[in-house]
Amino acid sequence: MLAALLVPVAPAAARPAAAPRHTGCAPHDELRRALRTLIDRDRITGAAVLVTEHAAGAPCGSRAETAGTADLRTGRAMNATDRLRAGSVTKTFTATVVLQLAAEHRIVLDAPVDRYLPGLIRRNGHDGRRITVRQLLQHTSGLPDYLDAPEWEHPESVRYRHFEPRELVARALDLPRPTSRWHYATTNYLLAGLIIREVTGHSPEKEVTRRVIRPLGLRDTYWPGDDTRLHGPHSHSYFTAEDGRLTDGTAWNTTFGGVGGALVSTPADLTRFVTALLDGRLLPAEQLAAMRRTVAADPDRLWPGARYGLGLIASPLRCGGQWWGHAGTVPGGHRALTAVGPGGRAVAVALNKVPDSLQAEQDFLATVETAFCAGRPSRGTEPTEGEHQ
């Protein structure tokens, strides 16, 4: 699920304040039980959920629920203010910049990739003259994911290696063409980043920082580049190594994810970003509407019922409606999710060990549902946005 998935912003000097909890808002027992299931049954090391109410008159503001351990060496408890690797949530940041450039008439969404990157996609049956920018953002390009190459079956063997986007795109072009219309591939977003560079003359990381991170005041969000460390207060992340041992995977060179998966952030910053985006503060109405036009996603690469827009996932809720946002995973063990649901409730989830079984994945999704549906009656889901043709 969601494989993975730069001038660093200076880390904040002090630990961010804990998420405020309104005195009239008791902890929600169902959400606490969901988190305990992740820790006790699924052996997730640590889990945190930040729930933020944005509806007018909402009494609770923000509240955090946590379980487990942020650092096994020290025994420090998990919390909702630590930084973590955001994985493929990065894609939503990158898609936002592409759509900003579209609004400025510097990128045409239905133009072929070859207009901006002539000759780059022209091998093994792949042809950039027949793939549009929109298809890149929507994962309908028909391009393979370089992370599906055999060498990525053991990502820990390259955890300290630097990767260039064009190197990874070239590797993807050697792979067989996907058989499904929708195929999640970080390859698409590396190409989107190369297009940003081509039309602006700046690195895509610099453009995301200038256009999104700084204007929103995301002080705990930064591009790590080749720095394998996480700066500032952060949760350690863990994965099961080939010898079966639980291993600290915090130190990792995430240039393999680039603008498709490398950002470091916090639940609060991710919430600020996704709410600003969906409130229309980052994109004009036309581009935001385009972002929210979805196609059915392959449930084997996301989950049943999920749909995908331009860098946005729409997922139905048991209590009615759907959430809009994105999730991300990195091989070292971090998983992030940020989304907004009915009534403006925003949910951000942080794990420091990736679920490694179908049951664990189902429990993770159930935790997200619980965070959105707590206090709301269950009812049939509302229709999703129409499929984009």
Side-chain angles (χ1 to χ4, degrees):
M1 171 186 161
L2 295 174
L5 11 167
L6 258 97
V7 181
V9 175
R15 175 183 296 275
R21 186 194 298 273
H22 191 280
T23 56
C25 298
H28 196 278
D29 291 340
E30 186 182 358
L31 181 54
R32 281 191 163 180
R33 287 194 297 270
L35 288 173
R36 289 310 319 174
T37 296
L38 288 172
I39 303 305
D40 298 337
R41 178 164 72 187
D42 304 320
R43 298 293 184 260
I44 302 301
T45 311
V49 178
L50 178 66
V51 180
T52 306
E53 305 287 359
H54 290 283
C60 297
S62 293
R63 67 183 185 275
E65 298 292 349
T66 64
T69 308
D71 184 345
L72 290 176
R73 184 181 63 84
T74 65
R76 183 168 61 87
M78 193 71 174
N79 65 74
T81 62
D82 275 352
R83 293 173 177 173
L84 78 160
R85 300 192 188 279
S88 286
V89 176
T90 306
K91 290 179 172 66
T92 311
F93 285 76
T94 300
T96 298
V97 170
V98 172
L99 287 161
Q100 287 178 344
L101 292 167
E104 297 165 12
H105 307 291
R106 300 170 74 182
I107 289 177
V108 177
L109 291 179
D110 292 314
V113 173
D114 213 61
R115 174 184 296 185
Y116 306 101
L117 304 171
L120 181 61
I121 309 300
R122 201 81 61 83
R123 192 166 83 242
N124 196 24
H126 307 296
D127 190 343
R129 295 169 295 185
R130 300 176 181 174
I131 299 169
T132 67
V133 177
R134 188 189 304 273
Q135 289 172 328
L136 294 181
L137 299 183
Q138 197 178 56
H139 295 300
T140 54
S141 68
L143 291 171
D145 193 349
Y146 60 87
L147 293 171
D148 288 337
E151 56 264 32
W152 288 97
E153 292 179 6
H154 307 288
E156 61 269 25
S157 65
V158 293
R159 65 184 287 185
Y160 298 113
R161 180 181 162 188
H162 171 86
F163 288 93
E164 288 290 335
R166 287 176 181 262
E167 169 192 3
L168 294 168
V169 169
R171 182 66 186 96
L173 297 182
D174 290 333
L175 299 175
R177 186 180 179 86
T179 57
S180 59
R181 179 180 176 228
W182 187 88
H183 185 80
Y184 189 91
T186 300
T187 309
N188 292 314
Y189 277 75
L190 296 192
L191 288 165
L194 291 172
I195 291 172
I196 292 171
R197 182 186 292 273
E198 182 66 24
V199 301
T200 66
H202 303 135
S203 74
E205 293 89 350
K206 183 175 181 178
E207 286 296 306
V208 170
T209 299
R210 183 176 72 85
R211 292 168 172 266
V212 178
I213 295 174
R214 285 179 183 154
L216 292 181
L218 307 183
R219 291 177 292 177
D220 290 303
T221 302
Y222 71 96
W223 297 100
D226 279 309
D227 193 343
T228 62
R229 300 167 297 169
L230 286 177
H231 295 277
H234 61 271
S235 61
H236 283 240
S237 60
Y238 300 92
F239 69 99
T240 303
E242 291 184 32
D243 60 7
R245 291 185 303 163
L246 189 63
T247 302
D248 192 313
T250 313
W252 209 287
N253 186 319
T254 52
T255 55
F256 78 89
V259 294
L263 272 178
V264 173
S265 193
T266 61
D269 270 11
L270 294 179
T271 295
R272 183 178 298 181
F273 164 65
V274 75
T275 53
L277 173 63
L278 294 170
D279 283 349
R281 285 180 274 151
L282 293 175
L283 290 174
E286 179 183 350
Q287 282 68 40
L288 183 57
M291 199 177 208
R292 290 167 62 103
R293 285 196 287 271
T294 61
V295 296
D298 181 350
D300 290 334
R301 295 185 81 87
L302 283 183
W303 51 82
R307 298 179 66 86
Y308 204 91
L310 305 185
L312 273 182
I313 297 170
S315 189
L317 290 165
R318 67 173 187 259
C319 50
Q322 59 197 331
W323 61 252
W324 290 91
H326 215 290
T329 296
V330 291
H334 275 137
R335 172 170 291 177
L337 180 143
T338 185
V340 175
R345 178 180 293 182
V347 169
V349 183
L351 305 184
N352 64 352
K353 183 177 182 292
V354 177
D356 57 6
S357 69
L358 176 59
Q359 181 65 66
E361 289 287 4
Q362 291 172 340
D363 290 340
F364 169 73
L365 292 172
T367 300
V368 176
E369 286 240 354
T370 298
F372 276 115
C373 291
R376 299 181 62 221
S378 295
R379 61 182 185 273
T381 58
E382 299 164 4
T384 60
E385 296 279 339
E387 178 168 333
H388 173 76
Q389 301 294 330

